[in-house]
Amino acid sequence: MIRRAALLLALLLPMAAVAEQAGPLVTEAGVVPRDGAASGAMVWLHPHYTEGPPPEAPAFMARLAARGWDGWRFDRPPGGAVPPASPLASGVEELAAGTAALRARGYRRVVLVGESRGAFLVLAALRMPGLADAAALAAPAAHGRSAERRPQALADFAAALDRASPDALRRMALLLFEDDGWDPDPAARAGLFQAAVARLGWGALLIDRPPAPTGHGGVQEPEFDAIFGACLADFLEGRGPCR
């Protein structure tokens, strides 16, 4: 969906032969960023590690694109499906450098949207002041699905929130889904999230295991945008409480 929006924008804006970069962040090929003239920059952090094109961003991000936001993407180097050994360290500095580069280009607002490993990377980066204005984390995961890894997965989730800087964000959304085999304990993670955002003084949105959609990739299902898309886009923009 966001690529279709990007192609539409490409028809309206001057064309670039290749994707543009802001540190490690990239645009879709052929789209010229508007920098300070845009409503803001939205960064898609996907769960992809393998060769080939990354998964498309969730459909709700097209709502922000229609409101004048430029789309950027954080691509981790390919190297197989196994995540790095240190989920709380890998990619943090690179992501912070990327959002700083977006600010340097003139973007007044930056929002991050991460799915699975991409969402866990945003969690790990919360220790960096000035990271972004808002973030949405869909089914954060970085430890696999084995029962043996669940205690460490929950401990690392808690540690990332404990280390978060109050100045990293202003708003954060957490999206948890029923029947997510990668989630070590959704009820515990919901509680940890609520306690952390209260301590940090951030605006918060918790979508906690709705009846639909379900599964680890729930944010990619068409029902998600239909049910939650407008609310989540408003929340990320800071338009007020999402109901």
Side-chain angles (χ1 to χ4, degrees), residues 55-74:
E56 289 195 12
F60 79 84
M61 292 182 70
R63 297 176 183 268
L64 292 174
R67 298 176 187 179
W69 288 70
D70 283 350
W72 293 79
R73 195 176 68 237
F74 182 82

Side-chain angles (χ1 to χ4, degrees), residues 100-115:
L102 292 176
R103 302 284 194 195
R105 292 184 67 120
Y107 288 105
R108 299 180 301 279
R109 295 184 289 177
V110 177
V111 302
L112 309 175
V113 178
E115 180 185 359

Side-chain angles (χ1 to χ4, degrees), residues 140-166:
H143 298 77
R145 290 178 287 184
S146 69
E148 294 78 10
R149 293 283 285 161
R150 287 176 186 167
Q152 189 62 53
L154 187 60
D156 284 348
F157 182 88
L161 293 175
D162 285 344
R163 297 176 188 178
S165 165

Side-chain angles (χ1 to χ4, degrees), residues 83-92 117 120 124 127 142-143 149 156 163:
S86 179
L88 294 182
S90 178
V92 167
R117 184 59 181 88
F120 211 94
R127 66 177 186 262
H143 298 77
R149 293 283 285 161
D156 284 348
R163 297 176 188 178

Side-chain angles (χ1 to χ4, degrees), residues 162-183:
D162 285 344
R163 297 176 188 178
S165 165
D167 299 321
L169 300 174
R170 298 176 185 172
R171 299 174 299 283
M172 186 163 70
L174 177 64
L175 322 177
L176 303 176
F177 299 97
E178 200 71 69
D179 298 325
D180 181 355
W182 295 78
D183 194 324

